[in-house]
């Protein structure tokens, strides 16, 4: 079974006589999100390394149940302000300031924040505001292709920039621009615990990227869903920390990775003038993010629930990453290379044998009871056929080892 066949919307030959918009063929969908539908077709036990989501045992569900009894009141089941519920904006700003995630120059500046319906809406707003048909958008390679797919939906041309252990190779971006005379209109990056590779952009590269963006007038969409999930190593300032109040930085954040993805609440941090435009753009989408969920998160933040919860996540994810890394060494000795992140959710695994095609391997893996996302899903051009992404955050250590054993059996079967 092809992992791309689960999304019929990608088949642009359907109903060819309909007056589609010119962007039709740019609506490529998401192999990552479509994997949820794919898994529903199987009724046996599957260890799920695919979706980048917290494990159910890592959700503050008891806190939510208690708080919901109070804040899920009739007054909160109506429309809210497009910019977000003031109670959440206040609680979020206080939490970010207390954890030093807002530069001192921006503390007290609530006009930078806009509450979104998840991180994906933040990305959509960024590309909607800055990308016109034919504009060049640079992204990492591999990249979070839900981001690049959103850029493509606005008819962008995608430029893939290689990634190594220090993140995006900014020098390759510079070389491309010098050679072609064409700088990207937008640079899309997940600089901290990158999705899918797990790597973190070094400080020198961050500074170099900022200099490039200012020199060429390129907007940086800084996608930062994992920044607070560091469990090892020294913190590196976000791009917005290195260049406070910079209108060329469009910060995208989400509660999905450290609270709960099903709440569908995130936020953007942008210059106030950009936020005003984003409010207008958001009003054409959904009027407001889910109001009851905003009040739920606001109360949870105000009670201090995030502090102990994030500490628990960091400890658990460190153990799970170590378990997965050790398991790969034990079950695939000398056969794979894997990244070694200091935080976040993911390991990027590359088979030394370049003839192994992880898309072709996928049906056998599902039969054996393990799911992952194949490497080509993270490249608009379909590169990385011998690689895959594994999420270590979604399973207990015992399940991680069981999943790797199943992957081992699947690979042996696939090879015949």
């Amino acid at each position: 079974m092809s992992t791309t066949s689960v999304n019929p919307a990608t088949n642009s030959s359907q109903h060819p006589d309909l007056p589609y918009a010119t962007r039709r063929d740019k609506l490529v969908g998401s192999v990552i999100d479509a994997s949820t539908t794919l898994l529903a077709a199987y009724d046996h036990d599957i260890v799920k390394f695919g979706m980048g989501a917290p494990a159910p045992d890592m959700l503050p569900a008891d806190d939510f149940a208690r708080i919901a009894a109070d804040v899920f009141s009739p007054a909160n089941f109506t429309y809210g302000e497009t910019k977000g519920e003031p109670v959440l904006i206040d609680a979020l700003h206080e939490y970010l300031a207390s954890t030093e995630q807002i530069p001192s120059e921006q503390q007290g500046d609530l006009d930078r924040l806009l509450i979104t319906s998840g991180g994906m809406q933040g990305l959509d707003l960024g590309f909607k505001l800055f990308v016109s048909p034919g504009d060049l958008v640079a992204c990492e390679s591999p990249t979070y292709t839900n981001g690049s797919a959103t850029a493509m939906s606005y008819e962008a041309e995608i430029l893939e920039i290689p990634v190594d252990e220090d993140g995006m190779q900014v020098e390759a971006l510079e070389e491309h621009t010098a050679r072609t005379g064409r700088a990207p209109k937008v640079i899309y990056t997940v600089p901290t615990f990158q999705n899918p590779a797990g790597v973190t952009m070094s400080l020198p590269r961050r500074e170099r990227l900022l200099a490039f963006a200012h020199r060429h007038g390129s907007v940086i969409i800084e996608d930062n869903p994992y920044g607070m999930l560091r469990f090892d190593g020294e913190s590196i300032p976000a791009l917005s920390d290195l260049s406070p109040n910079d209108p060329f930085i469009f910060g995208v954040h989400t509660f999905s990775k450290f609270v709960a993805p099903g709440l569908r609440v995130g936020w953007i941090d942008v210059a106030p003038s950009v936020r005003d435009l984003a409010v207008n753009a958001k009003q054409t989408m959904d009027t407001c993010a889910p109001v009851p969920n905003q009040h739920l998160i606001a109360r949870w933040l105000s009670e201090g629930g995030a502090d102990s919860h994030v500490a628990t996540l960091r400890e658990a994810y460190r153990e799970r990453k170590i378990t997965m890394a050790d398991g790969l060494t034990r079950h695939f000795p000398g056969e794979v290379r894997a990244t070694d992140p200091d935080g976040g959710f993911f390991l990027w695994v590359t088979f030394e044998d370049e003839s192994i095609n992880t898309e072709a391997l996928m049906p056998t893996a599902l039969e054996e009871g393990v799911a992952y996302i194949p490497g080509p899903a993270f490249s608009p051009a379909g590169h990385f056929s011998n690689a895959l992404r594994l999420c270590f955050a979604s399973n207990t250590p015992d399940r991680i080892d069981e999943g790797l054993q199943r992957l081992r059996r699947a690979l042996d079967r696939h090879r015949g």
Side-chain angles (χ1 to χ4, degrees):
M1 178 184 298
S2 169
T3 59
T4 58
S5 65
V6 298
N7 190 352
T10 62
N11 185 354
S12 61
S13 65
Q14 293 183 352
H15 310 295
D17 295 331
L18 288 175
Y20 288 109
T22 57
R23 72 179 64 89
R24 176 194 65 179
D25 292 336
K26 298 288 188 178
L27 302 177
V28 297
S30 168
V31 173
I32 302 169
D33 292 344
S35 67
T36 304
T37 302
L38 178 66
L39 292 178
Y42 294 82
D43 57 9
H44 62 274
D45 177 59
I46 294 178
V47 178
K48 299 174 182 177
F49 292 146
M51 288 295 289
D57 65 314
M58 291 287 101
L59 303 178
D62 291 341
D63 287 348
F64 291 165
R66 172 181 54 80
I67 295 170
D70 186 21
V71 303
F72 280 16
S73 63
N76 292 332
F77 280 91
T78 185
Y79 292 115
E81 295 187 53
T82 303
K83 70 180 182 181
E85 292 296 283
V87 65
L88 177 56
I89 292 175
D90 289 343
L92 174 60
H93 188 274
E94 183 175 339
Y95 172 68
L96 295 175
S98 70
T99 54
E100 299 182 344
Q101 296 180 65
I102 294 181
S104 58
E105 295 90 338
Q106 293 174 199
Q107 292 191 14
D109 188 358
L110 302 184
D111 290 337
R112 296 185 58 86
L113 301 180
L114 184 153
I115 304 302
T116 61
S117 298
M120 277 303 304
Q121 186 177 67
L123 295 179
D124 194 278
L125 288 169
F127 290 118
K128 188 172 190 174
L129 291 181
F130 293 107
V131 173
S132 299
D135 281 347
L136 186 66
V137 172
C139 66
E140 293 151 338
S141 185
T143 188
Y144 177 52
T145 42
N146 287 31
S148 60
T150 303
M152 290 174 64
S153 75
Y154 290 105
E155 301 181 73
E157 178 184 338
I158 301 298
L159 170 65
E160 297 189 44
I161 303 298
V163 166
D164 60 22
E165 64 274 9
D166 289 324
M168 178 188 283
Q169 295 179 14
V170 181
E171 57 273 23
L173 176 59
E174 294 169 335
E175 291 166 2
H176 176 275
T177 301
R179 184 176 67 254
T180 64
R182 186 184 183 201
K185 179 84 168 294
V186 171
I187 303 165
Y188 171 61
T189 176
V190 188
T192 304
F193 314 131
Q194 195 248 15
N195 181 2
V199 298
T200 293
M201 189 184 295
S202 66
L203 180 58
R205 283 209 179 147
R206 291 175 191 235
E207 293 171 337
R208 192 167 181 172
L209 182 62
L210 284 167
F212 176 94
H214 291 151
R215 187 164 62 249
H216 294 284
S218 303
V219 171
I220 300 173
I221 295 182
E222 181 179 23
D223 192 1
N224 190 14
Y226 312 102
M228 62 185 66
L229 297 178
R230 175 177 288 278
F231 45 69
D232 278 319
E234 296 294 325
S235 294
I236 299 177
L239 295 169
S240 56
D241 293 331
L242 294 171
S243 187
N245 293 313
D246 191 335
F248 283 88
I249 299 176
F250 191 100
V252 178
H253 308 265
T254 182
F255 290 102
S256 293
K257 306 306 181 183
F258 77 102
V259 184
L263 294 175
R264 306 314 304 140
V265 180
W267 72 97
I268 59 173
D269 184 342
V270 294
S273 61
V274 176
R275 193 196 73 163
D276 292 343
L277 283 173
V279 167
N280 293 345
K282 181 173 166 59
Q283 287 174 342
T284 69
M285 297 177 178
D286 62 0
T287 304
C288 60
V291 174
N293 296 355
Q294 291 187 61
H295 283 267
L296 177 70
I297 295 172
R299 178 71 63 83
W300 184 72
L301 289 174
S302 298
E303 290 181 354
D307 294 327
S308 59
H309 179 66
V310 170
T312 298
L313 293 181
R314 289 170 176 164
E315 182 178 352
Y317 291 166
R318 182 178 188 274
E319 179 186 16
R320 294 175 186 202
K321 186 218 67 171
I322 291 172
T323 298
M324 182 170 279
D326 290 348
L328 286 167
T329 299
R330 188 169 64 257
H331 296 301
F332 300 86
E335 296 178 80
V336 299
R337 303 187 311 276
T339 53
D340 185 23
D342 289 331
F345 274 27
F346 305 114
L347 293 185
W348 181 249
V349 180
T350 303
F351 286 97
E352 298 287 3
D353 182 353
E354 295 184 0
S355 69
I356 294 174
N357 185 305
T358 56
E359 288 184 314
L361 173 63
M362 185 70 166
T364 305
L366 290 171
E367 290 173 5
E368 288 291 341
V370 60
Y372 57 82
I373 304 296
F378 301 98
S379 165
H383 302 311
F384 312 110
S385 62
N386 63 322
L388 53 83
R389 187 192 77 177
L390 299 178
C391 177
F392 55 78
S394 301
N395 292 279
T396 63
D398 287 347
R399 286 284 285 177
I400 288 172
D401 194 69
E402 172 63 26
L404 293 178
Q405 291 182 53
R406 295 178 183 184
L407 184 59
R408 172 78 263 177
R409 292 197 296 270
L411 179 62
D412 290 342
R413 278 184 56 196
H414 181 70
R415 283 172 162 169

